[in-house]
Amino acid sequence: MKRLLSSTIFFAALLLVWHYLVLRKYWSQVLLPDPAAVWEYLKIVVADGTLLAAAEVTMRRLVTGYLIGVALGIPFGLLTARFRMMEDTVGVMALGLQTLPSVCWVPLALLWFGQSEGAMLFVVVMGSLWSIIISTDNGVRHVPPIYARAARTMGASQFVTWTRVILPASLPFVVSGMKQGWAFAWRSLMAAEIFVPILTGFGLGQLLQYGRDLHAMDQVIGVMLAIVLIGLLVDKLLFSPVERFLHRRWGTGRV
Amino acid sequence: MSVQEELQSARPAKLFIDRVTKHFLTRGGKVHALEDITLQINEGDFVCLVGPSGCGKSTLLNIIAGLEKPDAGQTLMDGKPVTQPGRDRMVMFQESALFPWLDVLDNVLFGLKFKPNLTSKERREVAEFYLRLVGLEEFAHANVHELSGGMKQRAALARALAPNPRVLLMDEPFAALDALTREQLYGDIQRIWAERKKTIVFVTHNVREAVCLGNRVVLFSPHPGRVREEFTVDLPHPRDINSVELAGHASRITRALSGYVEEPGKEFGAE
């Protein structure tokens, strides 16, 4: 209850600062609309279904690309940690490409895949994959070797040792990597949607870009808020429970 | 196989360590961890390997476990050479090595998962039996980090016993515990050895602990690791670590031991 209260006061204060900036007329109302105007915009797009439809398109791309990133990233992370050869090849590539903002892939993706869902997916996968590989690899390297030894004495095969011991033991790292991968996937997809007006679906990024084209800053800010809200919701509903579980089991977290 | 059959103690095994030698390469050069070790361990023996650090006693335990390979020689279990780890030789380490992502019961179940011919209900019964044996039945669903050091080692003991091994290998399992907890565990391990009839190889650098538990105490000397001397302890079980008789045996062994931990310069000297 106390936590809810402090959150409420904080965000109310932010809104007040925003409102105050509008009243000061430092920027024209066209450039910085009042919170009330953004609220009006959001009410309209929620009512006519535009926002929901755009969010659905975006989420579909995001989830698909992200799941591909996870499905490739975790096995590759295990492989780079296990085999020196993989570490020197895929591992180095992952380290390098992780530093590359995935918006850099947008021009190439457009040329390779055209204005299609494929281009979107490619950019999202490029955004999330590398950080998931790196944190899985890092997680495996932090597993105390005694776990694997103990498992071997209990008759676990190599495969079982990796799937039932080393992978769960590195879970805290893997999950934080997945969280980071999710954040990167969002960034990549928004960049891609803003840059690529495609014909197969109209996502949140495109809605934001339309707002910019129409000089409708209430729309731009409204969509930004929607993106933030979805991000928060996913974190609270998906990642937080998993992290809480890990903290409870491992006895880590709050001191 | 029924649970009743499964819970019957497996016949303890006989071990023969046959001229085992093991070197390690370090930055400082070649380290002779074990030099030509020969040791006969009979069915149901409780053998304590004692020696200063660096005498290779833990390495020998790992070789018996099949976790490490000797450079020369071999270990025979009932006449068959040991080539890899197996459920017939379970290991208990100094750190409990319990898996933090599983609760206590699931940790004990882990080793049973790979045992064929048991339904999951039977595995559970077996695991619960061993948790009762070590007095942890109330803590079946506790997380590992919630257990005290002594409880962790009890859980590790239950996990090691659950697959019904014929040999139990213990690598300084009580070294990190406080004295009171350790004394309780001495009682438990003697009781379990009597009830479950295992062959136990127990590594320690604590002479009193060795005398309290083992019917044989094998003294190692370091650089290179060799068997120096062997003692038989024929006091009746259960033994109390604080008893006078036990102290007498311990001081006899300590005297023998102090013969080669003194003057380390002579032994470690640069070549």
Side-chain angles (χ1 to χ4, degrees):
Chain A
M1 197 59 216
K2 205 177 146 201
R3 291 172 62 195
L4 188 71
L5 196 70
S6 49
S7 289
T8 313
I9 291 173
F10 176 74
F11 288 106
L14 272 187
L15 276 177
L16 277 177
V17 171
W18 176 3
H19 184 61
Y20 172 75
L21 284 176
V22 174
L23 288 183
R24 280 284 308 275
K25 293 198 169 31
Y26 185 77
W27 292 288
S28 95
Q29 283 256 10
V30 180
L31 298 183
L32 182 68
D34 194 65
V38 174
W39 178 243
E40 282 308 312
Y41 166 76
L42 282 175
K43 275 207 306 209
I44 293 167
V45 284
V46 168
D48 70 9
T50 316
L51 190 69
L52 222 67
E56 203 188 308
V57 169
T58 295
M59 290 309 278
R60 200 186 58 226
R61 290 170 179 159
L62 193 62
V63 169
T64 316
Y66 177 66
L67 288 181
I68 295 174
V70 171
L72 290 174
I74 291 178
F76 270 111
L78 293 176
L79 288 172
T80 55
R82 172 69 181 79
F83 299 106
R84 186 62 59 79
M85 210 265 284
M86 291 298 278
E87 180 188 351
D88 295 338
T89 53
V90 179
V92 174
M93 179 167 76
L95 214 57
L97 288 181
Q98 194 212 12
T99 61
L100 182 76
S102 62
V103 58
C104 300
W105 286 107
V106 172
L108 277 178
L110 256 181
L111 293 173
W112 290 346
F113 301 99
Q115 289 180 312
S116 68
E117 291 295 311
M120 294 281 157
L121 275 185
F122 180 74
V123 175
V124 174
V125 172
M126 286 298 133
S128 57
L129 175 62
W130 312 113
S131 68
I132 295 175
I133 293 183
I134 286 169
S135 38
T136 305
D137 175 282
N138 193 24
V140 170
R141 287 174 204 274
H142 274 85
V143 176
I146 197 163
Y147 291 164
R149 290 164 76 87
R152 281 174 61 203
T153 63
M154 287 185 267
S157 63
Q158 276 273 334
F159 179 76
V160 169
T161 303
W162 276 83
T163 52
R164 304 281 280 272
V165 177
I166 293 175
L167 188 60
S170 51
L171 218 52
F173 284 84
V174 173
V175 168
S176 81
M178 282 173 66
K179 204 173 150 176
Q180 199 188 22
W182 173 257
F184 284 162
W186 252 120
R187 282 159 178 66
S188 326
L189 181 60
M190 284 307 109
E193 285 192 348
I194 287 174
F195 281 113
V196 189
I198 57 167
L199 316 165
T200 47
F202 194 82
L204 285 173
Q206 280 127 356
L207 195 61
L208 190 147
Q209 178 63 13
Y210 270 44
R212 201 196 113 178
D213 292 344
L214 298 169
H215 287 281
M217 288 309 127
D218 52 351
Q219 180 169 344
V220 170
I221 295 177
V223 174
M224 282 167 67
L225 282 178
I227 293 170
V228 168
L229 217 66
I230 295 174
L232 261 179
L233 224 65
V234 169
D235 196 273
K236 290 280 174 209
L237 294 180
L238 238 64
F239 288 108
S240 291
V242 177
E243 285 176 316
R244 266 203 305 279
F245 167 78
L246 290 179
H247 285 320
R248 208 172 51 238
R249 265 291 151 86
W250 262 255
T252 53
R254 196 153 291 157
V255 275
Chain B
M1 193 192 281
S2 78
V3 176
Q4 286 319 310
E5 278 172 64
E6 173 62 32
L7 288 181
Q8 271 168 19
S9 238
R11 189 172 51 81
K14 157 174 86 184
L15 292 166
F16 184 56
I17 294 141
D18 184 16
R19 285 165 299 168
V20 162
T21 294
K22 176 85 183 170
H23 307 286
F24 289 109
L25 288 174
T26 65
R27 238 179 303 173
K30 212 174 187 187
V31 176
H32 293 250
L34 292 171
E35 187 77 41
D36 199 22
I37 304 281
T38 298
L39 198 61
Q40 167 82 50
I41 296 171
N42 297 317
E43 294 94 336
D45 259 358
F46 197 141
V47 178
C48 292
L49 311 181
V50 186
S53 34
C55 69
K57 53 196 192 296
S58 291
T59 306
L60 182 61
L61 201 80
N62 286 335
I63 288 173
I64 300 173
L67 288 167
E68 277 173 41
K69 290 205 182 342
D71 294 327
Q74 60 177 346
T75 306
L76 300 175
M77 179 163 149
D78 287 341
K80 285 193 211 82
V82 167
T83 53
Q84 57 178 19
R87 267 190 304 273
D88 47 5
R89 284 156 287 129
M90 290 294 290
V91 187
M92 223 182 122
F93 302 95
Q94 181 175 349
E95 315 119 81
S96 66
L98 294 170
F99 300 146
W101 59 95
L102 300 175
D103 65 17
V104 171
L105 181 67
D106 281 336
N107 263 288
V108 178
L109 276 169
F110 190 92
L112 290 168
K113 282 207 179 102
F114 313 112
K115 265 202 123 155
N117 309 326
L118 282 175
T119 66
S120 56
K121 191 169 159 282
E122 288 167 339
R123 281 173 226 270
R124 216 186 144 87
E125 271 178 55
V126 172
E128 281 166 351
F129 169 86
Y130 286 102
L131 280 180
R132 270 196 305 280
L133 190 71
V134 299
L136 279 184
E137 64 272 32
E138 306 276 311
F139 296 90
H141 295 292
N143 293 320
V144 170
H145 71 91
E146 293 163 336
L147 303 181
S148 67
M151 283 154 82
K152 276 186 189 143
Q153 288 304 58
R154 282 170 202 272
L157 180 61
R159 182 172 76 170
L161 289 170
N164 208 359
R166 303 174 54 203
V167 176
L168 193 56
L169 304 168
M170 307 176 87
D171 190 0
E172 303 197 36
F174 308 144
L177 303 178
D178 64 86
L180 267 174
T181 311
R182 229 182 300 159
E183 283 180 28
Q184 282 179 353
L185 281 160
Y186 292 151
D188 289 341
I189 197 81
Q190 291 183 67
R191 171 175 58 85
I192 286 165
W193 177 58
E195 274 177 33
R196 307 297 304 170
K197 300 185 180 57
K198 305 284 176 205
T199 301
I200 299 184
V201 183
F202 189 103
V203 164
T204 177
H205 54 248
N206 183 335
V207 174
R208 264 180 175 249
E209 182 171 278
V211 174
C212 177
L213 298 175
N215 61 343
R216 289 168 64 196
V217 176
V218 179
L219 201 53
F220 276 65
S221 65
H223 313 288
R226 281 206 176 104
V227 173
R228 182 67 187 225
E229 217 172 325
E230 218 198 289
F231 301 85
T232 308
V233 184
D234 45 16
L235 300 172
H237 284 277
R239 299 173 188 161
D240 173 11
I241 189 144
N242 298 312
S243 81
V244 180
E245 279 170 293
L246 202 144
H249 276 271
S251 67
R252 184 163 58 98
I253 297 174
T254 307
R255 265 199 305 281
L257 181 68
S258 61
Y260 21 79
V261 283
E262 276 169 14
E263 292 186 84
K266 215 167 70 186
E267 309 244 6
F268 293 78
E271 284 139 55

